[in-house]
């Protein structure tokens, strides 16, 4: 079942990538037994609720080689790890304020041989580098998130979408996003057929350099 779901929407992935996606289930089950990063019910739906959900960002904006992406509050490595498998020539920096979660991310990245992933136990406001995009999966409300990542957007543009935030979120976001005039919502049900994606979105917010 695992890779079939990924291949359904990303038929162009290589054998190496298929192999890496395939390994995720065993790796997460093994790590989850030691450090709980994914809820029990979700681990059985790993490929739909975590892997494919993470890859929703790729449908909105594929990353070009040489670009840099920051994943804030990555938890067990989502959306960063699936995206890093899909875009081996993009650099991913996965951070979380909880150290043991980063231990899981490092273990998974190492087992998969992902050379484009750096994972660190650090808060977003302490990060000094700049990135093309900042990705995350519903770690907090948008106004707080924007505060955390201010000043971390690179100046030069490499993508179709302007540099900024690509945020995975569900539900009604009208109130939370009303202050942002440039925000754009991409409905994941437009890309994926599974009922799980009915209310899920990628929130895109372009951000200026410094």
């Amino acid at each position: 079942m695992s890779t079939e779901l990924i291949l359904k929407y990303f038929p162009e992935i290589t054998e190496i990538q298929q192999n890496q996606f395939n390994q995720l289930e065993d790796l997460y089950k093994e790590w989850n037994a030691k450090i709980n990063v994914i809820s029990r019910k979700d681990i059985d739906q790993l490929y739909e609720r975590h892997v494919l959900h993470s890859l929703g960002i790729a449908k909105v904006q594929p990353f070009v080689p040489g670009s840099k992406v920051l994943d804030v509050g990555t938890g067990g490595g989502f959306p960063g790890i699936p995206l890093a498998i899909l875009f081996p020539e993009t650099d991913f920096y996965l951070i979380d304020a909880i150290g043991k979660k980063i231990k899981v991310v490092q273990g998974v990245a190492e087992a998969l041989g992902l050379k484009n992933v750096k994972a660190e136990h650090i808060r977003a406001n302490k990060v000094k580098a700049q990135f093309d995009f900042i990705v995350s999966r519903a770690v907090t409300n948008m106004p707080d998130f924007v505060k955390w990542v201010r000043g971390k957007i690179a100046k030069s543009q490499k993508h179709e979408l302007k540099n900024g935030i690509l945020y995975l979120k569900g539900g009604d976001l009208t109130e939370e996003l009303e202050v942002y005039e440039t925000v754009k919502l991409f409905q994941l049900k437009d890309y994926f057929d599974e009922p799980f994606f009915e209310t899920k979105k990628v929130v895109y917010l372009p951000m200026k350099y410094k």
Side-chain angles (χ1 to χ4, degrees), residues 2-194:
S2 56
T3 337
E4 281 166 34
L5 188 61
I6 308 303
L7 278 167
K8 177 178 166 186
Y9 297 108
F10 297 91
E12 68 293 342
I13 61 172
T14 65
E15 213 165 302
I16 291 172
Q17 289 168 314
Q18 280 185 52
N19 199 0
Q20 288 171 321
F21 280 124
N22 251 336
Q23 292 175 59
L24 288 175
E25 187 165 20
D26 286 347
L27 283 168
Y28 277 107
K29 280 187 170 160
E30 199 181 308
W31 272 106
N32 223 37
K34 295 180 249 185
I35 298 168
N36 194 294
V37 286
I38 295 170
S39 74
R40 295 280 177 261
K41 67 176 193 316
D42 273 10
I43 199 106
D44 297 327
Q45 304 284 328
L46 182 79
Y47 285 95
E48 180 181 287
R49 295 185 178 185
H50 293 276
V51 183
L52 193 59
H53 190 204
S54 297
L55 296 176
I57 287 173
K59 289 291 185 191
V60 170
Q61 179 60 74
F63 299 127
V64 302
S67 51
K68 290 182 164 44
V69 176
L70 172 67
D71 177 3
V72 174
T74 188
F78 302 100
I81 294 269
L83 290 170
I85 294 174
L86 196 64
F87 301 109
E89 291 174 43
T90 292
D91 288 327
F92 289 87
Y93 183 31
L94 280 54
I95 65 168
D96 203 283
I98 298 170
K100 62 182 182 181
K101 291 186 175 179
I102 288 299
K103 209 172 141 187
V104 175
V105 177
Q106 287 166 335
V108 170
E110 203 174 309
L112 295 173
L114 293 174
K115 302 273 185 279
N116 59 335
V117 169
K118 178 186 171 194
E120 197 172 0
H121 173 209
I122 185 174
R123 289 189 181 276
N125 55 358
K126 297 277 189 280
V127 172
K128 294 286 179 264
Q130 260 106 36
F131 303 86
D132 299 283
F133 286 99
I134 294 168
V135 300
S136 190
R137 191 164 69 150
V139 287
T140 184
N141 63 68
M142 198 54 130
D144 283 345
F145 191 75
V146 169
K147 273 185 216 142
W148 293 357
V149 301
R150 262 210 186 98
K152 296 182 201 339
I153 294 292
K155 196 173 185 178
S156 67
Q157 308 279 340
K158 304 185 179 84
H159 296 82
E160 198 178 320
L161 292 179
K162 284 199 171 105
N163 294 354
I165 293 170
L166 290 164
Y167 202 57
L168 290 163
K169 216 144 189 222
D172 182 5
L173 305 170
T174 324
E175 211 172 300
E176 187 179 322
L177 299 174
E178 65 187 356
V179 296
Y180 303 108
E181 286 169 18
T182 52
V183 78
K184 192 166 178 202
L185 297 180
F186 294 87
Q187 308 288 342
L188 286 181
K189 64 180 180 191
D190 295 344
Y191 306 100
F192 303 141
D193 306 331
E194 287 69 25

Side-chain angles (χ1 to χ4, degrees), residues 190-201:
D190 295 344
Y191 306 100
F192 303 141
D193 306 331
E194 287 69 25
F196 174 73
F197 297 105
E198 197 54 43
T199 61
K200 302 279 187 282
K201 304 164 187 69

